[in-house]
Amino acid sequence: PTSPPHRIVCLHGWLDNAASFHLLAPAIHSRLMRGGDGESTSNQNIHVLALENPGHGHSSHKSPDGPTQIRAEYALYLSEALISLGWVDHDSKTNDDDDKRKDGNDTAVNSGGITLIAHSAGTADALIYAAAFPEHVDKVVLLDAMGPLP
């Protein structure tokens, strides 16, 4: 049997974009491929995603007549991205008896959980997502975390 995928999502800070992780993401992938994650065996099924928030980097901006953007909205975008990728199921809760996704894939959507690596304002997004969907998150790594939001 193949090991569950090790899925890592990198979330950038306020004035940054997904390219903030252009050096770190390949290093993480390489290290995990060598088994350098403290695990006894190497996982050959590793996915590292650097998600870009709207209005940052090459992503499009929101409509000027749209609602004011709040931090929790970024957690929604993260959720939508993970659902779209098939990394999590829209209405799933972790269930050890569930061994198939709705699309018939033999790999359970939530196998192993997601690791969130976040920098600066992205740490708020990671914490909001982890609080809203704890069944989808295995680990959270916060880099230069911002303080509580007013």
Side-chain angles (χ1 to χ4, degrees), residues 4 7 14 20 24-25 31 36-37 42 46 49 51 73 84 87 89 101 103 112 114-115 117 120 132 137 148:
R7 295 174 170 146
W14 193 304
S20 299
L24 184 59
R31 175 111 181 191
D37 61 350
S42 169
I46 300 165
L49 167 72
L51 187 66
E73 191 173 340
S84 178
W87 287 15
D89 193 4
R101 288 177 36 178
D103 64 6
I114 304 292
T115 297
I117 300 176
S120 186
V137 179

Side-chain angles (χ1 to χ4, degrees), residues 3 7 40 45 47 51 62 74 99 120 124 130 137 146-147 149:
S3 59
R7 295 174 170 146
S40 58
N45 195 2
H47 306 275
L51 187 66
K62 288 183 61 174
Y74 290 117
D99 60 356
S120 186
V137 179
M146 59 185 291
L149 299 174

Side-chain angles (χ1 to χ4, degrees), residues 5-10 45-51 78-90 92 101 103 105 107-116 129 135-137:
H6 192 148
R7 295 174 170 146
I8 300 167
V9 180
C10 301
N45 195 2
I46 300 165
H47 306 275
V48 181
L49 167 72
L51 187 66
L78 172 57
S79 175
E80 289 174 343
L82 296 177
I83 291 167
S84 178
L85 289 167
W87 287 15
V88 300
D89 193 4
H90 182 274
S92 75
R101 288 177 36 178
D103 64 6
N105 187 334
T107 305
V109 173
N110 295 321
S111 294
I114 304 292
T115 297
L116 298 174
Y129 182 84
E135 68 275 9
H136 296 162
V137 179

Side-chain angles (χ1 to χ4, degrees), residues 122-134:
T123 62
D125 309 337
L127 292 173
I128 291 168
Y129 182 84
F133 303 101

Side-chain angles (χ1 to χ4, degrees), residues 88-101:
V88 300
D89 193 4
H90 182 274
D91 51 16
S92 75
K93 294 285 183 186
T94 300
N95 183 351
D96 292 335
D97 297 331
D98 188 16
D99 60 356
K100 286 196 174 197
R101 288 177 36 178

